[in-house]
Amino acid sequence: MRRSLVLAGLFAAVSVHATDATRADLTDEDRARVRRITAPAITFDAPEPFETLPGGGSTVREKLVTRDIFSFPSANLDFEARQRFAVGNGLFRKDWVSAPSSTQASDGLGPLFNARSCQGCHIKDGRGVVPEADEPAVSLFLRLSVPPRSRAEKRALAERRLAAIPEPTYGTQLQNFAVPGVAAEGHMRIDWTEVSVALAGGETATLRRPSYRVEDLGYGAMRKDVMLSPRIAAPMIGLGLVEAIHEDDILAHAARKDDPDGIVGKPSYVRDPASGALVLGRFGWKAGQPAVKPQAAHAFSGDMGLSTPLLPDHWGDCTTKQKACRAAPHGAQPAFGPEEVPGDLLDFVAFYSTHLGVPARRGSDDAQVLAGKQLFYEARCASCHVPKYVTRRDAADPAHRFQLIWPYSDFLLHDMGEGLADDRPEGDANGREWRTQPLWGVGLATTVDARATFLHDGRARTVLEAILWHGGEAQAARDRVVGMTPAQRADLIRFVESL
Ligand code: HEC
Ligand code: HEC
């Protein structure tokens, strides 16, 4: 039953770039099995084997889907690992306070910060929210940088010692809160413009286009050529499985030359803070972080002003021009080590963050969902939102080893067009490029938080709006959705929301 007559003429066969990677972790026999099981779907009359379990053996199979659905540990953790997870959970939720305080083990917040806890932004382990006009921003903030001027700055970028040149006074991120006695940096203002999009079949969608500015600057003017990049907190599920995807499987989709839609896919290479080596970036909206632990250290430093062994400055993102901020008391205690957040606590938080389970699919055998799945392939969404992988046999953590997983991402950077551009380069990503966002759990975003929205700055209020913002390498896929009948569009969205 092919319901996609409108689309049928556009492409003769559905071909998604096949994985032809080497994968030294596998035997020849395993490699053949993996290739077979990760091949793109070709029939859509029934679900594929195991597709109801997007996180493989770690999938969360709760009968009752409530707003806690992103907060469960991977199902395949043993007792000891569950205890580590519980400790990490406490630290993820903990509200840090400014130093000095009577609760010494929790102080050191700031001096500048965006939020007091990880959970303050990753709401119920899901994504952040866009602030209302009268609300301070917490889980959506602005990254800041300036174009390089000196030879030394250009070299630092070229060698990837820095991903961007910090704004000289305000640093790498606008922190809109500060501890008593220190000025906050300013406030982000968002102005919205409505844009209508006509869809085939007489439907119209209304998008809201944001524009960002900074008010109430606490430290004087920013450099005129400052570049702003809005970022909303991303969902926390399945991240350890993403770490366990073999690099060969990601690179197999990179630098495509033969894609009919002109999709390329660019790997992002970043410095691993532990070894100093250039490694593949996988986390963050521009794939700027190689792994969860360094991403957590950056969050402690940039978002909360807390030092860790990976980023040991107690003042976080305060620059040399913010003198009171650099001189403010910090929360490190000699009894626990030189940092505000000692290495073992960072490890607990990273452990927690790599073991939040992915929920089971809902309705994967529903006729409408299956029809929508076929449309997803035919519109070539799967070119970037690559459905499945088998994780490394030699993954560091046994819970992540050799799992068939369904994240729906190639974890590569793509030019997404002018509409989504932030015009702020970061590492290998230019001002129009973003990392393909995984789609697992996307249909549960509003169950976890009714205010949840989509894309890197939360501008899209629905899945349809998110699709309509796609441009650049995704323009052809987006246009196919505009050209679908209303019933087909509804099927496609049903499928995406079943993920
Ligand atoms: C002020 C809000 C805020 C706080 C607090 C915060 N995060 Fe985040 N988090 C973000 C944003 C925004 C991103 C996307 C960053 C980017 O694109 O550069 C993110 C991304 C991440 C990611 C990568 C997710 C992905 O799929 O790419 C991880 C992991 C993460 N945060 C962990 C943490 C941990 C652990 C903490 C606490 C130590 C924390 N975050 C605190 C806002 C926050
Ligand atoms: C060229 C690669 C590419 C193609 C093709 C593509 N996407 Fe995306 N998709 C992305 C990127 C990159 C993002 C993140 C963009 C951003 O946040 O600005 C994204 C984000 C999304 C989101 C929002 C996810 C979230 O959690 O916020 C949805 C939903 C989505 N895509 C669905 C689709 C569908 C459906 C199609 C097919 C019609 C499609 N995409 C085609 C690259 C692609």
Side-chain angles (χ1 to χ4, degrees), residues 219-244:
Y219 298 85
M222 287 190 186
R223 227 168 85 175
K224 290 249 167 339
D225 53 357
V226 67
M227 300 176 283
L228 309 177
S229 181
R231 306 285 173 98
I232 202 161
M236 295 292 299
I237 54 172
L239 302 181
L241 296 167
V242 174
E243 277 186 343

Side-chain angles (χ1 to χ4, degrees), residues 127 235 261 263-264 285 375-376 379-385 410 412-416 420 433-439 442 453-457 459 462-464 466-467 470-475 477-478 480-481 484 492 496:
R127 59 190 75 212
D261 288 342
I263 292 171
V264 186
W285 292 100
L375 290 160
F376 184 86
R380 306 187 73 85
C381 309
S383 303
C384 299
H385 295 285
D410 59 5
L412 294 170
L413 297 169
H414 296 276
D415 181 327
M416 293 298 284
L420 286 175
E433 286 171 333
W434 299 98
R435 179 202 71 163
T436 307
Q437 182 63 12
L439 297 180
V442 79
T453 53
F454 305 97
L455 298 174
H456 66 268
D457 58 0
R459 67 176 69 186
T462 60
V463 165
L464 177 62
I467 298 168
H470 282 49
E473 293 173 38
Q475 184 72 40
R478 176 248 180 224
R480 286 180 198 119
V481 177
M484 287 177 186
L492 174 72
V496 173

Side-chain angles (χ1 to χ4, degrees), residues 66-72 89 92-93 117-129 139 233-237 352 356-357 359 444-450 452:
T66 69
R67 52 177 315 231
D68 292 326
I69 193 67
F70 285 173
S71 302
F72 291 91
N89 187 1
F92 194 81
R93 276 157 212 280
S117 67
C118 305
Q119 148 93 8
C121 292
H122 298 279
I123 300 166
K124 305 225 38 106
D125 306 297
R127 59 190 75 212
V129 293
S139 47
M236 295 292 299
I237 54 172
Y352 175 74
L356 283 156
L444 292 170
T446 53
T447 303
V448 172
D449 189 324

Side-chain angles (χ1 to χ4, degrees), residues 107-225:
D107 69 7
L109 179 74
L112 299 175
F113 59 97
N114 292 93
R116 293 175 181 275
S117 67
C118 305
Q119 148 93 8
C121 292
H122 298 279
I123 300 166
K124 305 225 38 106
D125 306 297
R127 59 190 75 212
V129 293
V130 176
E132 300 290 345
D134 53 353
E135 236 183 349
V138 176
S139 47
L140 173 66
F141 60 68
L142 294 172
R143 290 210 188 287
L144 310 173
S145 57
V146 290
R149 281 185 181 166
S150 66
R151 281 257 272 315
E153 286 178 346
K154 284 180 189 149
R155 190 143 19 94
L157 291 181
E159 291 170 0
R160 292 286 178 274
R161 278 179 286 116
L162 290 178
I165 304 297
E167 204 286 332
T169 307
Y170 288 85
T172 59
Q173 181 170 319
L174 184 80
Q175 283 92 7
N176 51 349
F177 297 103
V179 300
V182 175
E185 290 192 319
H187 294 105
M188 172 180 73
R189 290 280 173 264
I190 316 176
D191 297 305
W192 300 100
T193 317
E194 305 248 292
V195 190
S196 318
V197 182
L199 310 173
E203 290 185 342
T204 312
T206 308
L207 305 183
R208 50 168 195 177
R209 177 190 295 279
S211 79
Y212 297 90
R213 62 201 155 85
V214 184
E215 282 178 352
D216 315 322
L217 285 172
Y219 298 85
M222 287 190 186
R223 227 168 85 175
K224 290 249 167 339
D225 53 357

